[in-house]
Amino acid sequence: MSNSTSNSTSELLQISIAADKAAAKWGPNALLSPTQTGYQIHLSGNEPLRAIQKAGRSLDNLGVTQLQLTGDGWSKDLQWAFYQGFCNAKRHGGVTFSNEQGDAAQLEQLAQCFAFAKKMINDTPEMLSPVVLAEQAEAFIRSVAPEGSVNSQLISGADLAEAGWHGIYQVGRGSTRPPALLVLDFNPAQSADTPVAAALVGKGITFDSGGYSIKPTEGMATMKCDMGGAATVTAALALAIMQGLQQRVKLILCCAENLISGHAYKLGDIITYKNGTTVEIVNTDAEGRLVLADGLMCAAESGAPLIIDAATLTGAAMIAVGGEYNALFALDQPLATRALQYAASEQEATWQLPLEKWHQQQCPSPYADTANSRPVKGGGAGGASNAAGFLSRFVPADGKGWLHFDLAAAFNNSANGYWAAGATGHGIRTIATTLLTETSAK
């Protein structure tokens, strides 16, 4: 987001792009060199986006808090890469974008949506209970949507069990702060007869202790980010609305705290879902798929031909693709191919991992239709694909029209040369573009 209006642009550090190398006195490979009014970034090599992002990170590390991008060469993608590197967990603004190519308004929209998602993900678990997460997501969508275009339903606590949403209820019942399901209906036509074109489903685990399959301290310390899927799909919907979305879309957030208490769900419990599927709990730390199952069935009830879910679901995805990529799973290969193209167009690294119908059988149980994982560390080999296979039990039409994003790149516990510590927002642009493109084509 841009600097405050009290600062005139002439008072800000001016950041420009230089085509030539820095003067020798700054070193043979200097990325930045000072000018009379600020700094210039010296781009060389075949990775300009990474170089620009690294320059933004370097300027933040110098303590710069306000700056202006100026001069020639600032494409939309370069400006956005700089913004991503420059911002940190305490400051989501400070960049005045260049409008030389008419991109400033779109970049401000991106910044607004990313700032919302990052703040939510970086908030402490104490600040962000399941109900508060749902309420803040609803408020943000209402703030960007046309008046009268949003309706919502919030179901919480024991009412979830009464309504048949047993996955969210069971995972969240160990906390004194009730679990919640938000079903938000964005309907710009404001007609009840308008078909739902898409549904977005987000994992909203506001804190994950692992339950009785308790995480070690080093694994639990970052679990405020386990609602990253909910924040990501909310921001993606908001961005699509800002960019002119005219189709009816359902936003479904599955919110809970996974804690230990005398009322928490336990190993050996069996959950019976709305569609009749029975699930034995062999790992209470494989809770994300349990809440998403409810969300996916809710999405299916809407009749939406496109269902996209996003979740910080498995450590296995991070092992497979690292912290720079999100993992994509789909049974609908033509749709997956298009989604990868959308991700590439938005410069968000995404990699497809294997998913076949037989992955549904990879977590067998002698007591239920399936277990929620394998009772081994990390869920065993192929854990991310097995989790996706579990989810595929709860989507319609054998997975046609369904995409699952495992958000391996959503959060960094520590800073590096390109990212500050905390949430990244990685995936928001991909999902927004997928939503806009796929629904407009129908």
Side-chain angles (χ1 to χ4, degrees):
M1 297 171 14
S2 66
N3 59 292
S4 64
T5 55
S6 61
N7 288 339
S8 69
T9 57
S10 62
E11 296 173 330
L12 298 177
L13 279 178
Q14 305 292 296
I15 311 300
S16 59
I17 294 175
D20 55 345
K21 286 191 173 183
K25 65 181 178 180
W26 302 113
N29 299 308
L31 180 59
L32 289 165
S33 67
T35 66
Q36 287 187 337
T37 57
Y39 290 88
Q40 55 186 347
I41 303 171
H42 301 272
L43 290 185
S44 61
N46 58 3
E47 293 185 324
L49 291 177
R50 285 179 68 81
I52 284 283
Q53 186 164 340
K54 187 175 183 180
R57 185 90 299 277
S58 297
L59 287 168
D60 176 56
N61 287 332
L62 289 174
V64 177
T65 60
Q66 300 274 340
L67 51 78
Q68 161 123 38
L69 306 183
T70 188
D72 298 329
W74 282 108
S75 68
K76 178 182 174 183
D77 285 337
L78 286 175
Q79 292 194 72
W80 188 246
F82 181 91
Y83 170 89
Q84 288 283 67
F86 182 68
C87 292
N88 60 46
K90 297 178 182 178
R91 176 184 44 73
H92 300 124
V95 177
T96 297
F97 295 110
S98 168
N99 202 35
E100 287 291 322
Q101 299 181 31
D103 295 324
Q106 288 189 40
L107 287 162
E108 290 286 356
Q109 291 174 350
L110 278 172
Q112 182 179 353
C113 294
F114 272 67
F116 163 80
K118 288 181 177 184
K119 181 183 183 304
M120 293 274 282
I121 295 170
N122 291 333
D123 271 351
T124 69
E126 183 62 27
M127 292 172 63
L128 202 68
S129 68
V131 170
V132 170
L133 168 59
E135 290 175 342
Q136 290 192 9
E138 178 188 355
F140 184 59
I141 296 299
R142 287 187 184 275
S143 74
V144 302
E147 187 173 351
S149 64
V150 174
N151 290 293
S152 65
Q153 179 186 24
L154 181 63
I155 308 172
S156 65
D159 289 343
L160 288 163
E162 288 292 322
W165 304 120
H166 298 291
I168 301 171
Y169 173 71
Q170 292 293 334
V171 169
R173 68 187 175 99
S175 173
T176 58
R177 302 197 290 185
L181 172 67
L182 174 69
V183 183
L184 182 146
D185 185 2
F186 171 69
N187 187 359
Q190 301 184 34
S191 170
D193 297 330
T194 302
V196 177
L200 303 178
V201 182
K203 173 187 171 184
I205 301 297
T206 55
F207 185 73
D208 182 17
S209 71
Y212 282 106
S213 305
I214 192 168
K215 293 177 181 289
T217 296
E218 59 272 20
M220 202 188 303
T222 60
M223 282 300 101
K224 64 183 180 182
C225 81
D226 213 18
M227 38 61 64
T232 297
V233 293
T234 301
L237 176 57
L239 181 59
I241 291 170
M242 290 178 175
Q243 293 179 344
L245 178 67
Q246 295 299 314
Q247 305 297 322
R248 187 178 184 182
V249 175
K250 291 286 185 79
L251 176 69
I252 301 164
L253 304 186
C254 311
C255 310
E257 282 185 320
N258 186 22
L259 300 182
I260 297 171
S261 75
H263 193 53
Y265 80 131
K266 297 172 287 295
L267 297 163
D269 284 351
I270 292 177
I271 301 174
T272 301
Y273 281 90
K274 263 191 172 186
N275 67 355
T277 300
T278 56
V279 178
E280 182 192 4
I281 307 304
V282 301
N283 183 353
T284 60
D285 195 24
E287 85 298 328
R289 65 201 71 179
L290 298 175
V291 302
L292 283 177
D294 280 340
L296 291 170
M297 287 188 296
C298 182
E301 289 180 0
S302 76
L306 174 66
I307 298 174
I308 303 172
D309 79 72
T312 50
L313 199 65
T314 65
M318 295 188 69
I319 292 171
V321 301
E324 296 282 349
Y325 282 77
N326 284 336
L328 172 67
F329 298 84
L331 293 170
D332 185 338
Q333 188 53 47
L335 176 60
T337 299
R338 297 195 298 275
L340 291 171
Q341 292 170 347
Y342 303 143
S345 72
E346 297 296 342
Q347 308 294 335
E348 287 190 328
T350 306
W351 198 264
Q352 186 175 4
L353 291 181
L355 178 61
E356 303 290 346
K357 285 295 291 293
W358 52 260
H359 279 105
Q360 293 182 358
Q361 312 302 325
Q362 292 299 95
C363 299
S365 166
Y367 307 107
D369 295 327
T370 182
N372 70 323
S373 184
R374 288 178 172 178
V376 295
K377 183 177 177 61
S385 294
N386 296 341
F390 177 93
L391 295 179
S392 73
R393 290 174 172 269
F394 300 92
V395 297
D398 290 324
K400 182 175 175 57
W402 168 59
L403 296 169
H404 163 52
F405 288 91
D406 199 329
L407 302 175
F411 188 87
N412 294 311
N413 187 33
S414 57
N416 57 38
Y418 301 93
W419 297 96
T424 66
H426 196 89
I428 294 171
R429 296 173 72 188
T430 298
I431 294 173
T433 298
T434 303
L435 181 60
L436 280 164
T437 309
E438 289 293 315
T439 60
S440 66
K442 291 184 166 45

mmCIF file of all heavy atoms in Angstrom, residues 290-322:
data_model
loop_
_atom_site.group_PDB
_atom_site.id
_atom_site.type_symbol
_atom_site.label_atom_id
_atom_site.label_comp_id
_atom_site.label_asym_id
_atom_site.label_seq_id
_atom_site.Cartn_x
_atom_site.Cartn_y
_atom_site.Cartn_z
ATOM 1 N N LEU A 290 -9.688 -32.974 7.957
ATOM 2 C CA LEU A 290 -10.967 -33.286 8.593
ATOM 3 C C LEU A 290 -11.932 -32.108 8.494
ATOM 4 O O LEU A 290 -13.131 -32.292 8.278
ATOM 5 C CB LEU A 290 -10.744 -33.658 10.059
ATOM 6 C CG LEU A 290 -9.893 -34.902 10.321
ATOM 7 C CD1 LEU A 290 -9.662 -35.087 11.815
ATOM 8 C CD2 LEU A 290 -10.542 -36.156 9.719
ATOM 9 N N VAL A 291 -11.421 -30.887 8.663
ATOM 10 C CA VAL A 291 -12.302 -29.722 8.554
ATOM 11 C C VAL A 291 -12.597 -29.392 7.095
ATOM 12 O O VAL A 291 -13.706 -28.977 6.747
ATOM 13 C CB VAL A 291 -11.732 -28.494 9.306
ATOM 14 C CG1 VAL A 291 -11.515 -28.823 10.773
ATOM 15 C CG2 VAL A 291 -10.458 -27.967 8.675
ATOM 16 N N LEU A 292 -11.608 -29.575 6.224
ATOM 17 C CA LEU A 292 -11.827 -29.292 4.806
ATOM 18 C C LEU A 292 -12.864 -30.218 4.190
ATOM 19 O O LEU A 292 -13.569 -29.838 3.250
ATOM 20 C CB LEU A 292 -10.508 -29.408 4.040
ATOM 21 C CG LEU A 292 -9.527 -28.248 4.171
ATOM 22 C CD1 LEU A 292 -8.241 -28.566 3.411
ATOM 23 C CD2 LEU A 292 -10.126 -26.949 3.652
ATOM 24 N N ALA A 293 -12.962 -31.443 4.708
ATOM 25 C CA ALA A 293 -13.963 -32.377 4.183
ATOM 26 C C ALA A 293 -15.360 -31.772 4.304
ATOM 27 O O ALA A 293 -16.168 -31.847 3.368
ATOM 28 C CB ALA A 293 -13.875 -33.703 4.929
ATOM 29 N N ASP A 294 -15.655 -31.157 5.444
ATOM 30 C CA ASP A 294 -16.942 -30.468 5.608
ATOM 31 C C ASP A 294 -17.081 -29.337 4.594
ATOM 32 O O ASP A 294 -18.128 -29.164 3.964
ATOM 33 C CB ASP A 294 -17.068 -29.903 7.026
ATOM 34 C CG ASP A 294 -17.473 -30.948 8.051
ATOM 35 O OD1 ASP A 294 -18.021 -31.990 7.646
ATOM 36 O OD2 ASP A 294 -17.250 -30.704 9.252
ATOM 37 N N GLY A 295 -16.027 -28.541 4.458
ATOM 38 C CA GLY A 295 -16.081 -27.413 3.535
ATOM 39 C C GLY A 295 -16.292 -27.848 2.098
ATOM 40 O O GLY A 295 -17.045 -27.196 1.344
ATOM 41 N N LEU A 296 -15.660 -28.932 1.698
ATOM 42 C CA LEU A 296 -15.818 -29.424 0.332
ATOM 43 C C LEU A 296 -17.221 -29.961 0.087
ATOM 44 O O LEU A 296 -17.795 -29.758 -0.995
ATOM 45 C CB LEU A 296 -14.768 -30.503 0.044
ATOM 46 C CG LEU A 296 -13.324 -29.994 -0.044
ATOM 47 C CD1 LEU A 296 -12.346 -31.156 -0.094
ATOM 48 C CD2 LEU A 296 -13.135 -29.085 -1.251
ATOM 49 N N MET A 297 -17.797 -30.617 1.083
ATOM 50 C CA MET A 297 -19.179 -31.079 0.920
ATOM 51 C C MET A 297 -20.143 -29.904 0.865
ATOM 52 O O MET A 297 -21.122 -29.923 0.109
ATOM 53 C CB MET A 297 -19.544 -32.036 2.061
ATOM 54 C CG MET A 297 -18.887 -33.396 1.940
ATOM 55 S SD MET A 297 -19.502 -34.582 3.167
ATOM 56 C CE MET A 297 -18.967 -33.816 4.691
ATOM 57 N N CYS A 298 -19.871 -28.869 1.657
ATOM 58 C CA CYS A 298 -20.695 -27.656 1.612
ATOM 59 C C CYS A 298 -20.595 -27.019 0.225
ATOM 60 O O CYS A 298 -21.599 -26.565 -0.339
ATOM 61 C CB CYS A 298 -20.239 -26.685 2.690
ATOM 62 S SG CYS A 298 -21.200 -25.168 2.799
ATOM 63 N N ALA A 299 -19.389 -26.992 -0.331
ATOM 64 C CA ALA A 299 -19.191 -26.454 -1.681
ATOM 65 C C ALA A 299 -19.961 -27.283 -2.705
ATOM 66 O O ALA A 299 -20.584 -26.738 -3.627
ATOM 67 C CB ALA A 299 -17.706 -26.430 -2.018
ATOM 68 N N ALA A 300 -19.925 -28.595 -2.543
ATOM 69 C CA ALA A 300 -20.644 -29.471 -3.476
ATOM 70 C C ALA A 300 -22.152 -29.211 -3.413
ATOM 71 O O ALA A 300 -22.838 -29.233 -4.451
ATOM 72 C CB ALA A 300 -20.335 -30.927 -3.156
ATOM 73 N N GLU A 301 -22.669 -28.950 -2.204
ATOM 74 C CA GLU A 301 -24.100 -28.671 -2.055
ATOM 75 C C GLU A 301 -24.520 -27.417 -2.826
ATOM 76 O O GLU A 301 -25.680 -27.285 -3.217
ATOM 77 C CB GLU A 301 -24.451 -28.509 -0.571
ATOM 78 C CG GLU A 301 -24.417 -29.804 0.228
ATOM 79 C CD GLU A 301 -24.770 -29.582 1.689
ATOM 80 O OE1 GLU A 301 -25.037 -28.422 2.072
ATOM 81 O OE2 GLU A 301 -24.787 -30.574 2.451
ATOM 82 N N SER A 302 -23.581 -26.496 -3.043
ATOM 83 C CA SER A 302 -23.904 -25.260 -3.760
ATOM 84 C C SER A 302 -24.094 -25.489 -5.252
ATOM 85 O O SER A 302 -24.613 -24.622 -5.955
ATOM 86 C CB SER A 302 -22.796 -24.223 -3.542
ATOM 87 O OG SER A 302 -21.641 -24.537 -4.325
ATOM 88 N N GLY A 303 -23.638 -26.645 -5.754
ATOM 89 C CA GLY A 303 -23.723 -26.929 -7.179
ATOM 90 C C GLY A 303 -22.651 -26.252 -8.004
ATOM 91 O O GLY A 303 -22.714 -26.264 -9.249
ATOM 92 N N ALA A 304 -21.647 -25.673 -7.365
ATOM 93 C CA ALA A 304 -20.599 -24.956 -8.087
ATOM 94 C C ALA A 304 -19.807 -25.910 -8.979
ATOM 95 O O ALA A 304 -19.327 -26.953 -8.499
ATOM 96 C CB ALA A 304 -19.653 -24.274 -7.108
ATOM 97 N N PRO A 305 -19.627 -25.583 -10.261
ATOM 98 C CA PRO A 305 -18.839 -26.443 -11.150
ATOM 99 C C PRO A 305 -17.338 -26.310 -10.930
ATOM 100 O O PRO A 305 -16.566 -27.143 -11.398
ATOM 101 C CB PRO A 305 -19.228 -25.956 -12.549
ATOM 102 C CG PRO A 305 -19.621 -24.528 -12.350
ATOM 103 C CD PRO A 305 -20.241 -24.454 -10.983
ATOM 104 N N LEU A 306 -16.909 -25.252 -10.221
ATOM 105 C CA LEU A 306 -15.502 -25.038 -9.898
ATOM 106 C C LEU A 306 -15.362 -24.938 -8.393
ATOM 107 O O LEU A 306 -16.004 -24.104 -7.755
ATOM 108 C CB LEU A 306 -14.991 -23.750 -10.554
ATOM 109 C CG LEU A 306 -13.565 -23.310 -10.200
ATOM 110 C CD1 LEU A 306 -12.542 -24.309 -10.735
ATOM 111 C CD2 LEU A 306 -13.270 -21.907 -10.732
ATOM 112 N N ILE A 307 -14.542 -25.815 -7.810
ATOM 113 C CA ILE A 307 -14.277 -25.807 -6.374
ATOM 114 C C ILE A 307 -12.772 -25.731 -6.181
ATOM 115 O O ILE A 307 -12.025 -26.568 -6.696
ATOM 116 C CB ILE A 307 -14.838 -27.060 -5.678
ATOM 117 C CG1 ILE A 307 -16.368 -27.125 -5.825
ATOM 118 C CG2 ILE A 307 -14.442 -27.080 -4.206
ATOM 119 C CD1 ILE A 307 -16.974 -28.416 -5.292
ATOM 120 N N ILE A 308 -12.323 -24.715 -5.451
ATOM 121 C CA ILE A 308 -10.903 -24.533 -5.159
ATOM 122 C C ILE A 308 -10.730 -24.508 -3.650
ATOM 123 O O ILE A 308 -11.377 -23.716 -2.965
ATOM 124 C CB ILE A 308 -10.365 -23.221 -5.753
ATOM 125 C CG1 ILE A 308 -10.592 -23.166 -7.263
ATOM 126 C CG2 ILE A 308 -8.887 -23.049 -5.425
ATOM 127 C CD1 ILE A 308 -10.248 -21.815 -7.880
ATOM 128 N N ASP A 309 -9.888 -25.379 -3.130
ATOM 129 C CA ASP A 309 -9.569 -25.301 -1.704
ATOM 130 C C ASP A 309 -8.098 -24.966 -1.535
ATOM 131 O O ASP A 309 -7.267 -25.258 -2.404
ATOM 132 C CB ASP A 309 -9.938 -26.591 -0.967
ATOM 133 C CG ASP A 309 -8.934 -27.714 -1.150
ATOM 134 O OD1 ASP A 309 -7.831 -27.628 -0.576
ATOM 135 O OD2 ASP A 309 -9.249 -28.678 -1.864
ATOM 136 N N ALA A 310 -7.785 -24.310 -0.442
ATOM 137 C CA ALA A 310 -6.407 -23.927 -0.134
ATOM 138 C C ALA A 310 -6.154 -24.162 1.339
ATOM 139 O O ALA A 310 -7.003 -23.855 2.178
ATOM 140 C CB ALA A 310 -6.150 -22.464 -0.495
ATOM 141 N N ALA A 311 -4.974 -24.703 1.645
ATOM 142 C CA ALA A 311 -4.675 -25.058 3.027
ATOM 143 C C ALA A 311 -3.180 -25.197 3.230
ATOM 144 O O ALA A 311 -2.455 -25.651 2.337
ATOM 145 C CB ALA A 311 -5.348 -26.391 3.384
ATOM 146 N N THR A 312 -2.723 -24.791 4.404
ATOM 147 C CA THR A 312 -1.388 -25.172 4.864
ATOM 148 C C THR A 312 -1.545 -26.583 5.415
ATOM 149 O O THR A 312 -1.637 -26.787 6.616
ATOM 150 C CB THR A 312 -0.902 -24.198 5.949
ATOM 151 O OG1 THR A 312 -1.936 -24.064 6.944
ATOM 152 C CG2 THR A 312 -0.590 -22.837 5.365
ATOM 153 N N LEU A 313 -1.574 -27.562 4.506
ATOM 154 C CA LEU A 313 -2.092 -28.873 4.886
ATOM 155 C C LEU A 313 -1.032 -29.842 5.370
ATOM 156 O O LEU A 313 -1.221 -30.507 6.379
ATOM 157 C CB LEU A 313 -2.865 -29.492 3.715
ATOM 158 C CG LEU A 313 -3.815 -30.611 4.108
ATOM 159 C CD1 LEU A 313 -4.939 -30.096 5.004
ATOM 160 C CD2 LEU A 313 -4.408 -31.305 2.893
ATOM 161 N N THR A 314 0.094 -29.964 4.650
ATOM 162 C CA THR A 314 1.043 -31.027 4.998
ATOM 163 C C THR A 314 2.485 -30.536 4.987
ATOM 164 O O THR A 314 2.896 -29.773 4.111
ATOM 165 C CB THR A 314 0.943 -32.210 4.007
ATOM 166 O OG1 THR A 314 1.347 -31.788 2.703
ATOM 167 C CG2 THR A 314 -0.466 -32.772 3.961
ATOM 168 N N GLY A 315 3.250 -31.028 5.937
ATOM 169 C CA GLY A 315 4.692 -30.839 5.883
ATOM 170 C C GLY A 315 5.302 -31.577 4.718
ATOM 171 O O GLY A 315 6.362 -31.190 4.210
ATOM 172 N N ALA A 316 4.631 -32.635 4.272
ATOM 173 C CA ALA A 316 5.144 -33.409 3.145
ATOM 174 C C ALA A 316 5.224 -32.573 1.879
ATOM 175 O O ALA A 316 6.129 -32.747 1.055
ATOM 176 C CB ALA A 316 4.255 -34.630 2.910
ATOM 177 N N ALA A 317 4.292 -31.651 1.697
ATOM 178 C CA ALA A 317 4.343 -30.774 0.528
ATOM 179 C C ALA A 317 5.576 -29.879 0.597
ATOM 180 O O ALA A 317 6.239 -29.641 -0.427
ATOM 181 C CB ALA A 317 3.074 -29.934 0.435
ATOM 182 N N MET A 318 5.897 -29.376 1.783
ATOM 183 C CA MET A 318 7.078 -28.531 1.926
ATOM 184 C C MET A 318 8.350 -29.327 1.645
ATOM 185 O O MET A 318 9.285 -28.816 1.021
ATOM 186 C CB MET A 318 7.123 -27.934 3.326
ATOM 187 C CG MET A 318 5.980 -26.987 3.637
ATOM 188 S SD MET A 318 6.192 -26.134 5.210
ATOM 189 C CE MET A 318 7.583 -25.076 4.821
ATOM 190 N N ILE A 319 8.389 -30.572 2.073
ATOM 191 C CA ILE A 319 9.555 -31.409 1.793
ATOM 192 C C ILE A 319 9.685 -31.635 0.290
ATOM 193 O O ILE A 319 10.785 -31.637 -0.271
ATOM 194 C CB ILE A 319 9.441 -32.744 2.546
ATOM 195 C CG1 ILE A 319 9.573 -32.504 4.062
ATOM 196 C CG2 ILE A 319 10.495 -33.734 2.068
ATOM 197 C CD1 ILE A 319 9.258 -33.700 4.905
ATOM 198 N N ALA A 320 8.549 -31.781 -0.384
ATOM 199 C CA ALA A 320 8.567 -32.089 -1.817
ATOM 200 C C ALA A 320 8.955 -30.883 -2.662
ATOM 201 O O ALA A 320 9.742 -31.011 -3.602
ATOM 202 C CB ALA A 320 7.196 -32.614 -2.251
ATOM 203 N N VAL A 321 8.385 -29.700 -2.363
ATOM 204 C CA VAL A 321 8.578 -28.554 -3.265
ATOM 205 C C VAL A 321 9.329 -27.396 -2.619
ATOM 206 O O VAL A 321 9.618 -26.398 -3.292
ATOM 207 C CB VAL A 321 7.225 -28.046 -3.819
ATOM 208 C CG1 VAL A 321 6.516 -29.142 -4.579
ATOM 209 C CG2 VAL A 321 6.325 -27.501 -2.702
ATOM 210 N N GLY A 322 9.652 -27.484 -1.322
ATOM 211 C CA GLY A 322 10.365 -26.409 -0.658
ATOM 212 C C GLY A 322 9.446 -25.262 -0.273
ATOM 213 O O GLY A 322 8.223 -25.363 -0.381
#
